[in-house]
PDB file of all heavy atoms in Angstrom:
ATOM      1  N   ILE A  77      97.213 124.720  92.803  1.00 98.00           N
ATOM      2  CA  ILE A  77      95.977 124.816  92.013  1.00 98.00           C
ATOM      3  C   ILE A  77      96.219 125.792  90.854  1.00 98.00           C
ATOM      4  O   ILE A  77      96.684 126.893  91.053  1.00 98.00           O
ATOM      5  CB  ILE A  77      94.787 125.282  92.877  1.00 98.00           C
ATOM      6  CG1 ILE A  77      94.612 124.364  94.086  1.00 98.00           C
ATOM      7  CG2 ILE A  77      93.525 125.360  92.050  1.00 98.00           C
ATOM      8  CD1 ILE A  77      94.349 122.899  93.742  1.00 98.00           C
ATOM      9  N   ALA A  78      95.913 125.301  89.657  1.00 97.00           N
ATOM     10  CA  ALA A  78      96.171 126.110  88.469  1.00 97.00           C
ATOM     11  C   ALA A  78      95.222 127.313  88.431  1.00 97.00           C
ATOM     12  O   ALA A  78      94.025 127.171  88.658  1.00 97.00           O
ATOM     13  CB  ALA A  78      95.963 125.263  87.219  1.00 97.00           C
ATOM     14  N   PRO A  79      95.759 128.511  88.144  1.00 96.00           N
ATOM     15  CA  PRO A  79      94.897 129.670  88.051  1.00 96.00           C
ATOM     16  C   PRO A  79      93.958 129.635  86.851  1.00 96.00           C
ATOM     17  O   PRO A  79      92.912 130.286  86.841  1.00 96.00           O
ATOM     18  CB  PRO A  79      95.901 130.839  87.940  1.00 96.00           C
ATOM     19  CG  PRO A  79      97.139 130.221  87.382  1.00 96.00           C
ATOM     20  CD  PRO A  79      97.180 128.830  87.940  1.00 96.00           C
ATOM     21  N   THR A  80      94.352 128.855  85.848  1.00 95.00           N
ATOM     22  CA  THR A  80      93.459 128.655  84.714  1.00 95.00           C
ATOM     23  C   THR A  80      93.741 127.276  84.123  1.00 95.00           C
ATOM     24  O   THR A  80      94.856 126.778  84.173  1.00 95.00           O
ATOM     25  CB  THR A  80      93.683 129.748  83.640  1.00 95.00           C
ATOM     26  OG1 THR A  80      92.744 129.573  82.572  1.00 95.00           O
ATOM     27  CG2 THR A  80      95.110 129.684  83.087  1.00 95.00           C
ATOM     28  N   GLY A  81      92.701 126.673  83.615  1.00 93.00           N
ATOM     29  CA  GLY A  81      92.863 125.325  83.058  1.00 93.00           C
ATOM     30  C   GLY A  81      91.784 125.079  81.999  1.00 93.00           C
ATOM     31  O   GLY A  81      90.626 125.459  82.176  1.00 93.00           O
ATOM     32  N   ARG A  82      92.198 124.426  80.933  1.00 94.00           N
ATOM     33  CA  ARG A  82      91.253 124.142  79.867  1.00 94.00           C
ATOM     34  C   ARG A  82      90.910 122.665  79.858  1.00 94.00           C
ATOM     35  O   ARG A  82      91.667 121.805  80.289  1.00 94.00           O
ATOM     36  CB  ARG A  82      91.866 124.479  78.506  1.00 94.00           C
ATOM     37  CG  ARG A  82      92.080 125.951  78.259  1.00 94.00           C
ATOM     38  CD  ARG A  82      92.654 126.199  76.878  1.00 94.00           C
ATOM     39  NE  ARG A  82      93.951 125.537  76.690  1.00 94.00           N
ATOM     40  CZ  ARG A  82      94.609 125.480  75.562  1.00 94.00           C
ATOM     41  NH1 ARG A  82      94.099 126.055  74.462  1.00 94.00           N
ATOM     42  NH2 ARG A  82      95.779 124.848  75.451  1.00 94.00           N
ATOM     43  N   PHE A  83      89.713 122.390  79.327  1.00 97.00           N
ATOM     44  CA  PHE A  83      89.344 120.992  79.032  1.00 97.00           C
ATOM     45  C   PHE A  83      89.822 120.657  77.635  1.00 97.00           C
ATOM     46  O   PHE A  83      90.032 121.553  76.805  1.00 97.00           O
ATOM     47  CB  PHE A  83      87.841 120.767  79.147  1.00 97.00           C
ATOM     48  CG  PHE A  83      87.367 120.730  80.567  1.00 97.00           C
ATOM     49  CD1 PHE A  83      86.815 121.827  81.197  1.00 97.00           C
ATOM     50  CD2 PHE A  83      87.447 119.529  81.304  1.00 97.00           C
ATOM     51  CE1 PHE A  83      86.382 121.773  82.490  1.00 97.00           C
ATOM     52  CE2 PHE A  83      87.013 119.458  82.614  1.00 97.00           C
ATOM     53  CZ  PHE A  83      86.494 120.583  83.209  1.00 97.00           C
ATOM     54  N   ALA A  84      90.003 119.367  77.380  1.00 96.00           N
ATOM     55  CA  ALA A  84      90.462 118.938  76.069  1.00 96.00           C
ATOM     56  C   ALA A  84      89.667 117.695  75.667  1.00 96.00           C
ATOM     57  O   ALA A  84      89.116 116.967  76.501  1.00 96.00           O
ATOM     58  CB  ALA A  84      91.944 118.614  76.095  1.00 96.00           C
ATOM     59  N   ARG A  85      89.638 117.462  74.386  1.00 95.00           N
ATOM     60  CA  ARG A  85      89.014 116.229  73.852  1.00 95.00           C
ATOM     61  C   ARG A  85      90.069 115.155  73.671  1.00 95.00           C
ATOM     62  O   ARG A  85      91.060 115.365  72.977  1.00 95.00           O
ATOM     63  CB  ARG A  85      88.313 116.511  72.528  1.00 95.00           C
ATOM     64  CG  ARG A  85      87.102 117.427  72.665  1.00 95.00           C
ATOM     65  CD  ARG A  85      86.313 117.510  71.346  1.00 95.00           C
ATOM     66  NE  ARG A  85      85.136 118.367  71.492  1.00 95.00           N
ATOM     67  CZ  ARG A  85      84.236 118.567  70.556  1.00 95.00           C
ATOM     68  NH1 ARG A  85      84.390 117.988  69.377  1.00 95.00           N
ATOM     69  NH2 ARG A  85      83.207 119.361  70.780  1.00 95.00           N
ATOM     70  N   LYS A  86      89.823 114.022  74.289  1.00 94.00           N
ATOM     71  CA  LYS A  86      90.702 112.860  74.190  1.00 94.00           C
ATOM     72  C   LYS A  86      89.978 111.881  73.242  1.00 94.00           C
ATOM     73  O   LYS A  86      89.010 111.269  73.606  1.00 94.00           O
ATOM     74  CB  LYS A  86      90.926 112.254  75.565  1.00 94.00           C
ATOM     75  CG  LYS A  86      91.842 111.023  75.581  1.00 94.00           C
ATOM     76  CD  LYS A  86      91.955 110.508  77.041  1.00 94.00           C
ATOM     77  CE  LYS A  86      92.861 109.300  77.114  1.00 94.00           C
ATOM     78  NZ  LYS A  86      92.956 108.765  78.514  1.00 94.00           N
ATOM     79  N   ASN A  87      90.485 111.764  72.050  1.00 93.00           N
ATOM     80  CA  ASN A  87      89.753 111.049  70.983  1.00 93.00           C
ATOM     81  C   ASN A  87      90.112 109.581  70.924  1.00 93.00           C
ATOM     82  O   ASN A  87      91.246 109.228  70.743  1.00 93.00           O
ATOM     83  CB  ASN A  87      90.081 111.712  69.655  1.00 93.00           C
ATOM     84  CG  ASN A  87      89.631 113.169  69.574  1.00 93.00           C
ATOM     85  OD1 ASN A  87      88.491 113.433  69.277  1.00 93.00           O
ATOM     86  ND2 ASN A  87      90.549 114.058  69.887  1.00 93.00           N
ATOM     87  N   TYR A  88      89.104 108.759  71.112  1.00 87.00           N
ATOM     88  CA  TYR A  88      89.248 107.324  70.822  1.00 87.00           C
ATOM     89  C   TYR A  88      87.856 106.731  70.723  1.00 87.00           C
ATOM     90  O   TYR A  88      86.888 107.286  71.256  1.00 87.00           O
ATOM     91  CB  TYR A  88      90.072 106.619  71.898  1.00 87.00           C
ATOM     92  CG  TYR A  88      89.470 106.594  73.310  1.00 87.00           C
ATOM     93  CD1 TYR A  88      88.743 105.511  73.762  1.00 87.00           C
ATOM     94  CD2 TYR A  88      89.699 107.654  74.183  1.00 87.00           C
ATOM     95  CE1 TYR A  88      88.226 105.471  75.043  1.00 87.00           C
ATOM     96  CE2 TYR A  88      89.211 107.628  75.459  1.00 87.00           C
ATOM     97  CZ  TYR A  88      88.450 106.529  75.896  1.00 87.00           C
ATOM     98  OH  TYR A  88      87.928 106.504  77.163  1.00 87.00           O
ATOM     99  N   PHE A  89      87.782 105.622  70.019  1.00 85.00           N
ATOM    100  CA  PHE A  89      86.471 104.988  69.799  1.00 85.00           C
ATOM    101  C   PHE A  89      86.330 103.761  70.671  1.00 85.00           C
ATOM    102  O   PHE A  89      87.199 102.889  70.680  1.00 85.00           O
ATOM    103  CB  PHE A  89      86.290 104.593  68.339  1.00 85.00           C
ATOM    104  CG  PHE A  89      85.033 103.800  68.126  1.00 85.00           C
ATOM    105  CD1 PHE A  89      83.793 104.463  68.125  1.00 85.00           C
ATOM    106  CD2 PHE A  89      85.038 102.435  67.974  1.00 85.00           C
ATOM    107  CE1 PHE A  89      82.601 103.744  67.969  1.00 85.00           C
ATOM    108  CE2 PHE A  89      83.874 101.716  67.781  1.00 85.00           C
ATOM    109  CZ  PHE A  89      82.653 102.370  67.785  1.00 85.00           C
ATOM    110  N   TYR A  90      85.245 103.704  71.410  1.00 83.00           N
ATOM    111  CA  TYR A  90      84.877 102.509  72.189  1.00 83.00           C
ATOM    112  C   TYR A  90      83.381 102.595  72.412  1.00 83.00           C
ATOM    113  O   TYR A  90      82.842 103.690  72.570  1.00 83.00           O
ATOM    114  CB  TYR A  90      85.667 102.441  73.508  1.00 83.00           C
ATOM    115  CG  TYR A  90      85.844 101.039  74.008  1.00 83.00           C
ATOM    116  CD1 TYR A  90      86.624 100.136  73.323  1.00 83.00           C
ATOM    117  CD2 TYR A  90      85.223 100.622  75.195  1.00 83.00           C
ATOM    118  CE1 TYR A  90      86.779  98.822  73.763  1.00 83.00           C
ATOM    119  CE2 TYR A  90      85.390  99.327  75.648  1.00 83.00           C
ATOM    120  CZ  TYR A  90      86.171  98.428  74.938  1.00 83.00           C
ATOM    121  OH  TYR A  90      86.333  97.151  75.359  1.00 83.00           O
ATOM    122  N   PRO A  91      82.685 101.474  72.433  1.00 86.00           N
ATOM    123  CA  PRO A  91      81.208 101.511  72.471  1.00 86.00           C
ATOM    124  C   PRO A  91      80.642 102.221  73.700  1.00 86.00           C
ATOM    125  O   PRO A  91      79.527 102.738  73.637  1.00 86.00           O
ATOM    126  CB  PRO A  91      80.827 100.015  72.509  1.00 86.00           C
ATOM    127  CG  PRO A  91      81.965  99.333  71.822  1.00 86.00           C
ATOM    128  CD  PRO A  91      83.173 100.100  72.219  1.00 86.00           C
ATOM    129  N   ASP A  92      81.402 102.250  74.836  1.00 89.00           N
ATOM    130  CA  ASP A  92      80.837 102.930  76.031  1.00 89.00           C
ATOM    131  C   ASP A  92      81.093 104.427  76.024  1.00 89.00           C
ATOM    132  O   ASP A  92      80.794 105.125  76.975  1.00 89.00           O
ATOM    133  CB  ASP A  92      81.345 102.280  77.326  1.00 89.00           C
ATOM    134  CG  ASP A  92      82.893 102.341  77.436  1.00 89.00           C
ATOM    135  OD1 ASP A  92      83.503 103.002  76.582  1.00 89.00           O
ATOM    136  OD2 ASP A  92      83.437 101.738  78.350  1.00 89.00           O
ATOM    137  N   LEU A  93      81.693 104.925  74.951  1.00 88.00           N
ATOM    138  CA  LEU A  93      81.967 106.364  74.837  1.00 88.00           C
ATOM    139  C   LEU A  93      81.207 106.893  73.621  1.00 88.00           C
ATOM    140  O   LEU A  93      81.710 106.916  72.495  1.00 88.00           O
ATOM    141  CB  LEU A  93      83.464 106.576  74.654  1.00 88.00           C
ATOM    142  CG  LEU A  93      84.023 107.971  74.946  1.00 88.00           C
ATOM    143  CD1 LEU A  93      83.872 108.297  76.441  1.00 88.00           C
ATOM    144  CD2 LEU A  93      85.513 108.030  74.574  1.00 88.00           C
ATOM    145  N   ALA A  94      79.974 107.313  73.855  1.00 89.00           N
ATOM    146  CA  ALA A  94      79.071 107.592  72.727  1.00 89.00           C
ATOM    147  C   ALA A  94      79.579 108.753  71.863  1.00 89.00           C
ATOM    148  O   ALA A  94      79.276 108.799  70.678  1.00 89.00           O
ATOM    149  CB  ALA A  94      77.686 107.937  73.298  1.00 89.00           C
ATOM    150  N   LYS A  95      80.326 109.704  72.429  1.00 91.00           N
ATOM    151  CA  LYS A  95      80.764 110.876  71.668  1.00 91.00           C
ATOM    152  C   LYS A  95      81.976 110.566  70.793  1.00 91.00           C
ATOM    153  O   LYS A  95      82.367 111.390  69.961  1.00 91.00           O
ATOM    154  CB  LYS A  95      81.134 112.003  72.637  1.00 91.00           C
ATOM    155  CG  LYS A  95      79.984 112.451  73.517  1.00 91.00           C
ATOM    156  CD  LYS A  95      80.345 113.671  74.355  1.00 91.00           C
ATOM    157  CE  LYS A  95      81.422 113.392  75.378  1.00 91.00           C
ATOM    158  NZ  LYS A  95      81.689 114.547  76.277  1.00 91.00           N
ATOM    159  N   ASN A  96      82.615 109.406  71.024  1.00 91.00           N
ATOM    160  CA  ASN A  96      83.897 109.031  70.402  1.00 91.00           C
ATOM    161  C   ASN A  96      85.047 109.922  70.894  1.00 91.00           C
ATOM    162  O   ASN A  96      86.140 109.895  70.332  1.00 91.00           O
ATOM    163  CB  ASN A  96      83.834 109.123  68.867  1.00 91.00           C
ATOM    164  CG  ASN A  96      82.957 108.019  68.321  1.00 91.00           C
ATOM    165  OD1 ASN A  96      82.639 107.063  69.011  1.00 91.00           O
ATOM    166  ND2 ASN A  96      82.556 108.169  67.063  1.00 91.00           N
ATOM    167  N   PHE A  97      84.829 110.679  71.943  1.00 94.00           N
ATOM    168  CA  PHE A  97      85.917 111.355  72.636  1.00 94.00           C
ATOM    169  C   PHE A  97      85.497 111.529  74.087  1.00 94.00           C
ATOM    170  O   PHE A  97      84.307 111.512  74.426  1.00 94.00           O
ATOM    171  CB  PHE A  97      86.236 112.712  72.018  1.00 94.00           C
ATOM    172  CG  PHE A  97      85.152 113.728  72.122  1.00 94.00           C
ATOM    173  CD1 PHE A  97      85.026 114.529  73.248  1.00 94.00           C
ATOM    174  CD2 PHE A  97      84.245 113.915  71.090  1.00 94.00           C
ATOM    175  CE1 PHE A  97      84.002 115.500  73.324  1.00 94.00           C
ATOM    176  CE2 PHE A  97      83.192 114.826  71.156  1.00 94.00           C
ATOM    177  CZ  PHE A  97      83.079 115.640  72.296  1.00 94.00           C
ATOM    178  N   GLN A  98      86.502 111.640  74.962  1.00 95.00           N
ATOM    179  CA  GLN A  98      86.268 111.890  76.370  1.00 95.00           C
ATOM    180  C   GLN A  98      86.711 113.315  76.660  1.00 95.00           C
ATOM    181  O   GLN A  98      87.781 113.739  76.250  1.00 95.00           O
ATOM    182  CB  GLN A  98      87.101 110.908  77.218  1.00 95.00           C
ATOM    183  CG  GLN A  98      86.916 111.119  78.740  1.00 95.00           C
ATOM    184  CD  GLN A  98      87.905 110.265  79.532  1.00 95.00           C
ATOM    185  OE1 GLN A  98      89.048 110.091  79.112  1.00 95.00           O
ATOM    186  NE2 GLN A  98      87.475 109.761  80.670  1.00 95.00           N
ATOM    187  N   THR A  99      85.839 114.054  77.369  1.00 96.00           N
ATOM    188  CA  THR A  99      86.213 115.392  77.775  1.00 96.00           C
ATOM    189  C   THR A  99      87.051 115.292  79.039  1.00 96.00           C
ATOM    190  O   THR A  99      86.612 114.821  80.069  1.00 96.00           O
ATOM    191  CB  THR A  99      84.972 116.242  78.034  1.00 96.00           C
ATOM    192  OG1 THR A  99      84.147 116.245  76.850  1.00 96.00           O
ATOM    193  CG2 THR A  99      85.396 117.687  78.347  1.00 96.00           C
ATOM    194  N   SER A 100      88.322 115.698  78.931  1.00 96.00           N
ATOM    195  CA  SER A 100      89.278 115.524  80.003  1.00 96.00           C
ATOM    196  C   SER A 100      90.124 116.789  80.086  1.00 96.00           C
ATOM    197  O   SER A 100      89.782 117.840  79.536  1.00 96.00           O
ATOM    198  CB  SER A 100      90.159 114.281  79.711  1.00 96.00           C
ATOM    199  OG  SER A 100      91.113 114.079  80.713  1.00 96.00           O
ATOM    200  N   GLN A 101      91.218 116.728  80.812  1.00 96.00           N
ATOM    201  CA  GLN A 101      92.209 117.812  80.840  1.00 96.00           C
ATOM    202  C   GLN A 101      93.529 117.202  80.396  1.00 96.00           C
ATOM    203  O   GLN A 101      93.873 116.071  80.823  1.00 96.00           O
ATOM    204  CB  GLN A 101      92.324 118.447  82.223  1.00 96.00           C
ATOM    205  CG  GLN A 101      91.128 119.249  82.623  1.00 96.00           C
ATOM    206  CD  GLN A 101      91.343 119.965  83.958  1.00 96.00           C
ATOM    207  OE1 GLN A 101      91.655 119.342  84.935  1.00 96.00           O
ATOM    208  NE2 GLN A 101      91.167 121.275  83.939  1.00 96.00           N
ATOM    209  N   TYR A 102      94.281 117.911  79.596  1.00 90.00           N
ATOM    210  CA  TYR A 102      95.550 117.350  79.072  1.00 90.00           C
ATOM    211  C   TYR A 102      96.748 118.093  79.656  1.00 90.00           C
ATOM    212  O   TYR A 102      97.342 117.640  80.617  1.00 90.00           O
ATOM    213  CB  TYR A 102      95.515 117.410  77.536  1.00 90.00           C
ATOM    214  CG  TYR A 102      96.803 116.998  76.868  1.00 90.00           C
ATOM    215  CD1 TYR A 102      97.501 115.846  77.288  1.00 90.00           C
ATOM    216  CD2 TYR A 102      97.319 117.723  75.822  1.00 90.00           C
ATOM    217  CE1 TYR A 102      98.663 115.460  76.675  1.00 90.00           C
ATOM    218  CE2 TYR A 102      98.509 117.363  75.197  1.00 90.00           C
ATOM    219  CZ  TYR A 102      99.169 116.226  75.633  1.00 90.00           C
ATOM    220  OH  TYR A 102     100.334 115.846  75.021  1.00 90.00           O
ATOM    221  N   ASP A 103      97.083 119.255  79.091  1.00 91.00           N
ATOM    222  CA  ASP A 103      98.272 119.946  79.534  1.00 91.00           C
ATOM    223  C   ASP A 103      97.974 121.050  80.560  1.00 91.00           C
ATOM    224  O   ASP A 103      98.935 121.729  80.980  1.00 91.00           O
ATOM    225  CB  ASP A 103      99.012 120.558  78.331  1.00 91.00           C
ATOM    226  CG  ASP A 103      98.122 121.445  77.483  1.00 91.00           C
ATOM    227  OD1 ASP A 103      96.881 121.436  77.685  1.00 91.00           O
ATOM    228  OD2 ASP A 103      98.630 122.142  76.583  1.00 91.00           O
TER     229      ASP A 103
END
Side-chain angles (χ1 to χ4, degrees):
I77 304 302
T80 183
R82 292 181 300 174
F83 285 98
R85 291 188 179 184
K86 180 181 181 181
N87 297 275
Y88 64 96
F89 174 75
Y90 207 66
D92 59 7
L93 199 65
K95 299 186 295 185
N96 292 343
F97 65 87
Q98 179 189 37
T99 305
S100 180
Q101 290 185 303
Y102 175 45
D103 54 349

